[in-house]
Structure formats: structure tokens, C-alpha cells
Amino acid sequence: MPKEPQAQNPNFRMPGHRGPGPRMGVAPIEKPEDGKKTVRQLLRYFSRERRMILALLLVVSAVVLCSVLAPSFQSRAIDQITAGAFDELGPVLLWMVGLYLLYGVGTLFQSLLSAHLSQRIVRRMREELFDRIVNLPIRYLDSHAHGDVMSRMTNDVENISNTVSQSLGSLVSGVLTILGTVAMMLSYCWQLALLSCLTVVLNVVATKYLSAAMRRFFRKRQLLLGSLNSTVEEMVSGYRTVVAYNRQEAVIKRFDETSDELTKTGIKAEILGGSMGPVMNLISNIGFVIIAAMGGFFALRGMISIGVISAFIVYAKQFGRPINEIAQLYGQIQTAVAGAERVFAVLEEPPEDKSGERTMEGSRGTVTFRKVNFSYLPGKPVLHDFSLEVRAGQKVALVGATGSGKTTVVNLLMRFYDIDSGEILIDGVNIRDIGSDALRRGAAIVLQDTVLFSDTIRGNLKYSNLEASDAQMVEAAKMSNCHAMVCKLRDGYDTMLSGSGANLSQGQRQLLSIGRAFLADPKILILDEATSSVDTRTEKNIQDAMVRLMRERTSIIIAHRLSTIQDADVIVVMDEGRIVETGNHRELLRQRGRYYELYMTQFAGQKT
């Protein structure tokens, strides 16, 4: 991870930044900034699934038709029973059974089609998003929290998937059900239809106010739950520090206060959440009473039959249900569109410029910086008129205080960032003319913070050269002093690394990263001092391996321990993005300048 962007950018977030912890409960409704644009972008994915959408619409229409027609046959059956026309009852009952069977089968197919549609759309979106993330410039990933990028890949895409699978069919079905039910009710008795709508209005009003109150308390519960999880996470990860300073009581008190507040809020949220069903049932029952009473009155006056009253009770239930569902779906759709907006924001980011027709075949590895200027943020330069030549096979060390620009030099050489002005040349060829893939194949980096993957040791070593044979891999392991360590493991090179190498020590992980660099056989080698957190014996193994790795290669070393680079051909002392001194170890000590101050400070055991 580059260190300079963090130093220069006050809003810079560390990659992998963790929030308050996982959140549970009812998610608050999120609103997109430009919903129309996002919906248009989403429709592009739907347009590729026209056949499946058409099939889904046909099935939904058939299901709605069955649900609307079934009560009318029920009404006819009751009227025939009342009139004693039992001879005509059989066909009507068969029609009812057929409609309900078709309704059940259609509902099943609706669910299956919705699931297939959502997964196909989300699969395409997920693949495009991952492809874009992999090809984003380093600048983007350095300036955005890794947790936020991962959330777009997981949570936001999953919200879209759930909404498509659950909401699309329900939304279309709800609208068609409302229209069909109203038409049937009006065709039977418009007066009773209007009375039935009164309960629907009460339903909508109650849902609106109860939902608003629920969202308020559920949102507060989420925040408190996040705070509680954060407290637990900090306590577990920093347990040694908590115990060392005897802060157990303070941690317990903080946890209890948050837990008590969470309990009170949770009770209120659950009460409101549990009241929704009873309130809706109460209003529905009131509606049934109104229909029964007024329907009986209309029946006595000969306006409608007894069977129509039965049909109206079913229609009233059918009429209110989709309205409530659509009201609830609105929040879910809004949240999904907001998530889609975040996904499209990543998809719209321009990919890394990897252009360049030249390769590094036959390269000797001479690196030249000519009057390079660079800034992570406009108006805040990090490198000033930086000029340096590293001859082929030479070992050059960059030293200086944190924020002096050492890591930035490496970032620019690898084309992780583009320079503002000046030139960077390899064997006289501008790196902008060399394709990024070719440039990085010709270079290898060994970082202080070792990066290993959840794979076998074999897979991690061959990560830098997938075409390498097992013999080449073993030779690289021997050269990097890790072969003996690997052979002691039960499965040898097939040992699976858990948690990105968590089952190995820091020194063992570092030796594997050096072995990986050996297998890459680079022309240019970049080393970030890697022995600061290991014991003396392991440090000696790592140093020996690094010496062999640097042999006959152009090497650029970012040095933190000055004692490790005393044999460098050239030591470059940097301060605030400028070169202030150059020379070998003895020459710089004789000058008694900035390097001498750094060396004596470290020798005295103080931090630089």
C-alpha cells in the first residue's frame, strides 16, 4: 500500500477500513441521487432477457386472471345452492377447482421465472463489476475504502438480486390485481365497491404512519447494534492493550450502556413491528363487517345476491393486499436502485490505461528519472524535479523520513500512477510506450507487508510465473531459503495457506514472497525493507535470500533500516520529494549531512 497518498490526502482512507460492524434488522430506505438515470442503466440488463420477461408477464397475467375470476364462480355457486339448482353446481365447482389449481401452478412458475431472471441479470452485472474492479487504476483503490468497494460487489448486488426476484413479479401482479378486482367489484355493485375502498384508504394511512415509526426505531437499533459490534470488535482485536492498561471495567461499562439502550430501542421496534399485523387485521375485519352489513341491506332490497356478498369479501381482501405489498416494495426498490447507482458508479470509472506497444524483451534494466514532478492531489506536489539514473545491475537504496516520496518513486516506475511532467525511461524507452502488462512482467516487488493468497504454497510461488515447472519452483524456493521450511510441513508444497498465510510466521511468509520474486526472474527488482518485524535468525535468512535475489539485477530498495543497505552501490537521501544527497555509505557519513543524522539517530535507537 503506498504510504505517500495517505500523508498527502487528508481524506484518504486506509484500504480494508472497517465500519462499525455488521448490521442487522430492517434496513432503512436509501434513496438514489439520480433514480431515472440508474433505472435506464438497469433496463439495459433487462433488455437482454426479453423472452424470459415476456414469459414472466404472461404467467403473472394468467395468475391474476385466475385470482380475479375465482371469486365470481364462488358467488355463482353460492347463488345456485341458495336457489337449490344443484344440477348446475357441478360445472361451476369444476371451474373453481381448475382456476385454483392453475393459480397454484402459475404462482410456482412465477417464482421460478423471477429467480432465473434475477440470477441471470445479477450474474452479468457481477461479472462486469468484478472485471472493472480488477482493471481499475491503483489510484482509485488507494483513495476508496476497500470495505466500500467490497460492499458494492456483495451487498449492493445482492439487494438488486432480491428486488428483481421478489419485486418485479409482485409489482406487476399487484397492479393487475388492483385493476381487475376494481373492475369486477364495480360490475357487481358500484355502491358496495366504494364502501370497500374506505377500508383500503384506512389500510394505506395506517401503513404509512406505522412504517415511518418503525423505520425510525429500526434505524436507531441498527446504529446501536453497529456501535455494540464495534465495541466487541475493538475489545477482541485489542484485548492485550485493554488488559495491559486495566481498562476492563471501562470497556464493560461502555458495552452495558450501549446494550441497555439497544434493548430499549429493540423492544420499541419489535412492538411497532408486531403491531402492524394486528392493526391490518382489525381494519380488514372492519371492512368485512361493513361489506356484510351493507351487502345484506343491498341484498334485501334486491340490488345484489347473497353470492355477490361472498365475492365482495374475497375481492376486498384481494384489493387491500397488493396495495400494502406495493407500499412495502417501494422502499425495497428505492434501496435497490440506490445500490445499483453505487454499482454503476464503479462501472463508469475509466479502466487503467495499459497502452504501449513496446515490451521489455532484451532489456538490460537501466532506469532513468528525468525531472519528474508528481502530486496525488492537485496543488500538493510529492515529487519535485526528481532526476535519478539507476544503471543496469546496480543496487540503489532510497532513504528518508516518512512522506519523503520513496514509495511514490516505485509507484511511478510501475505505472501505478502517471507522472504530472517529466520522463521515466527504461533502457532509453519511455515507460508510457511500454505496455503496463509487459512492464510489470519485467519487474518484481517484495513488500514489507507480505501478500499471500488462500491457496497452496505451490500456487503462491507460481503466482508470478504460471508457466514455471516444479523444478524451477523448487530451485527458486532453495534460493530464497524457504525450501527446507516447506519440506517440514505435512503436505509440503501442497500445504494450503489459511487466511492468506495466517498459519505461517511473518518470516516464513516473507521468504515465500522472495521465492515468488525469484520465480518471476525480473529485470528490475523493487524491495521494501522486510526484516523489521522478524527475529535475528530469520532476518539473516531473509537478508541472504535478498542478496542472492538482487545479484545481476537492477535493484531499487526502499530502506527503513539503514544498517541493511550499507553495501548499496548508491544511496539516495530524499526529503520532501527532493533528492538532497547521493553517494555510498562511507561517502555520505563523511559528508555529515542528512544521511549522517538519520544513521546516528537510528544508531542511538530512536525513531526516524
Side-chain angles (χ1 to χ4, degrees), residues 13 15 33 61 75 93 180 184 269 309 332 380-381 425-426 450 462 477 521 563 573 578 583 603-604:
R13 301 187 212 170
E33 294 181 6
S61 300
S75 170
L93 293 178
M184 293 298 293
I309 299 176
Q332 185 177 351
K380 295 184 178 180
L425 310 172
I426 296 179
T450 307
K462 290 189 176 183
D521 192 22
S563 59
V573 184
R578 293 182 172 86
F603 186 76

Side-chain angles (χ1 to χ4, degrees), residues 129-151:
L129 180 59
F130 187 78
D131 181 77
R132 180 50 52 92
I133 290 174
V134 169
N135 289 288
L136 282 174
I138 297 293
R139 179 188 293 271
Y140 180 90
L141 293 174
D142 278 349
S143 58
H144 289 75
H146 290 188
D148 176 64
V149 177
M150 292 171 64
S151 177

Side-chain angles (χ1 to χ4, degrees), residues 337-351:
V337 172
E341 191 172 56
R342 288 191 293 270
V343 170
F344 291 134
V346 177
L347 289 173
E348 290 173 354
E349 285 290 327

Side-chain angles (χ1 to χ4, degrees), residues 54 70 91 130 140 142-143 223 263 328-329 364 388 457 460 493 498 539 606:
L54 180 61
F130 187 78
Y140 180 90
D142 278 349
S143 58
L223 293 173
T263 301
Q328 293 173 5
L329 287 175
R364 296 175 59 248
L388 174 68
I457 290 178
N460 274 279
Y493 286 95
S498 62
E539 178 181 358
Q606 302 174 10

Side-chain angles (χ1 to χ4, degrees), residues 230-481:
S230 178
T231 301
V232 175
E233 182 181 359
E234 288 179 356
M235 192 281 295
V236 172
S237 61
Y239 182 69
R240 292 179 183 272
T241 304
V242 173
V243 173
Y245 288 99
N246 293 317
R247 298 293 293 172
Q248 295 95 321
E249 292 298 326
V251 170
I252 292 172
K253 182 180 179 182
R254 176 185 168 193
F255 179 88
D256 288 344
E257 289 175 352
T258 308
S259 180
D260 291 343
E261 185 67 18
L262 176 61
T263 301
K264 295 176 184 176
T265 305
I267 290 173
K268 294 177 182 177
E270 293 300 331
I271 289 174
L272 283 170
S275 66
M276 178 70 81
V279 170
M280 294 298 104
N281 285 334
L282 175 63
I283 295 174
S284 296
N285 291 333
I286 292 173
F288 295 154
V289 171
I290 293 174
I291 292 173
M294 296 306 297
F297 175 75
F298 291 146
L300 290 174
R301 299 192 61 178
M303 297 172 61
I304 57 175
S305 66
I306 300 297
V308 171
I309 299 176
S310 172
F312 256 91
I313 291 175
V314 177
Y315 282 134
K317 185 177 181 180
Q318 283 188 179
F319 186 48
R321 178 180 53 79
I323 291 178
N324 288 330
E325 286 182 354
I326 291 172
Q328 293 173 5
L329 287 175
Y330 174 77
Q332 185 177 351
I333 292 171
Q334 287 282 85
T335 301
V337 172
E341 191 172 56
R342 288 191 293 270
V343 170
F344 291 134
V346 177
L347 289 173
E348 290 173 354
E349 285 290 327
E352 180 185 12
D353 180 13
K354 296 184 178 181
S355 61
E357 297 180 358
R358 302 288 293 272
T359 67
M360 289 187 63
E361 290 184 11
S363 172
R364 296 175 59 248
T366 299
V367 180
T368 306
F369 292 82
R370 288 182 183 171
K371 297 183 178 181
V372 172
N373 292 282
F374 174 75
S375 57
Y376 291 103
L377 296 173
K380 295 184 178 180
V382 178
L383 291 183
H384 308 264
D385 202 24
F386 182 86
S387 296
L388 174 68
E389 182 172 358
V390 183
R391 294 193 297 272
Q394 198 172 36
K395 179 180 176 182
V396 174
L398 304 178
V399 302
T402 299
S404 59
K406 304 185 299 296
T407 304
T408 298
V409 172
V410 173
N411 288 338
L412 298 179
L413 175 60
M414 297 297 294
R415 283 188 66 178
F416 292 157
Y417 291 83
D418 289 327
I419 61 177
D420 296 337
S421 63
E423 287 183 311
I424 302 177
L425 310 172
I426 296 179
D427 294 331
V429 179
N430 195 312
I431 61 170
R432 290 181 175 175
D433 297 327
I434 302 174
S436 292
D437 293 341
L439 173 65
R440 292 163 192 169
R441 277 195 299 269
I445 302 179
V446 179
L447 298 172
Q448 181 174 2
D449 298 323
T450 307
V451 177
L452 296 176
F453 300 95
S454 297
D455 194 357
T456 61
I457 290 178
R458 185 189 309 277
N460 274 279
L461 287 173
K462 290 189 176 183
Y463 196 83
S464 62
N465 185 359
L466 298 177
E467 298 177 357
S469 65
D470 283 354
Q472 291 173 314
M473 177 194 68
V474 171
E475 181 62 25
K478 290 179 179 178
M479 295 294 290
S480 60
N481 288 341

Side-chain angles (χ1 to χ4, degrees), residues 37-212:
K37 177 185 175 184
T38 304
V39 169
R40 285 196 299 270
Q41 290 173 309
L42 274 173
L43 290 177
R44 287 194 301 108
Y45 292 89
F46 284 93
S47 65
R48 302 177 188 177
E49 305 292 343
R50 292 188 183 91
R51 292 183 180 179
M52 187 166 289
I53 292 175
L54 180 61
L56 178 61
L57 292 177
L58 290 174
V59 170
V60 168
S61 300
V63 168
V64 171
L65 185 63
C66 291
S67 67
V68 170
L69 291 178
S72 67
F73 281 94
Q74 176 182 312
S75 170
R76 190 180 305 174
I78 292 174
D79 287 340
Q80 288 173 346
I81 293 172
T82 304
F86 295 103
D87 294 338
E88 302 175 7
L89 186 60
V92 176
L93 293 178
L94 286 175
W95 270 102
M96 286 180 61
V97 171
L99 287 171
Y100 283 122
L101 283 174
L102 187 59
Y103 176 85
V105 173
T107 303
L108 176 61
F109 273 98
Q110 178 182 329
S111 300
L112 291 174
L113 288 170
S114 296
H116 275 283
L117 178 64
S118 68
Q119 290 306 312
R120 289 174 64 155
I121 289 174
V122 168
R123 182 194 64 184
R124 188 176 297 112
M125 184 180 293
R126 189 185 292 119
E127 289 172 351
E128 290 181 7
L129 180 59
F130 187 78
D131 181 77
R132 180 50 52 92
I133 290 174
V134 169
N135 289 288
L136 282 174
I138 297 293
R139 179 188 293 271
Y140 180 90
L141 293 174
D142 278 349
S143 58
H144 289 75
H146 290 188
D148 176 64
V149 177
M150 292 171 64
S151 177
R152 300 182 193 216
M153 184 73 195
T154 54
N155 295 343
D156 290 335
V157 172
E158 191 63 26
N159 279 340
I160 297 169
S161 173
N162 291 337
T163 300
V164 173
S165 63
Q166 298 173 13
S167 304
L168 183 62
S170 298
L171 190 63
V172 175
S173 174
V175 172
L176 293 179
T177 299
I178 291 171
L179 295 175
T181 301
V182 169
M184 293 298 293
M185 292 170 72
L186 289 173
S187 68
Y188 280 120
C189 179
W190 66 267
Q191 297 93 334
L192 198 55
L194 293 178
L195 288 172
S196 300
C197 290
L198 289 177
T199 59
V200 174
V201 174
L202 289 176
N203 257 324
V204 172
V205 172
T207 300
K208 177 182 178 181
Y209 285 102
L210 279 175
S211 297

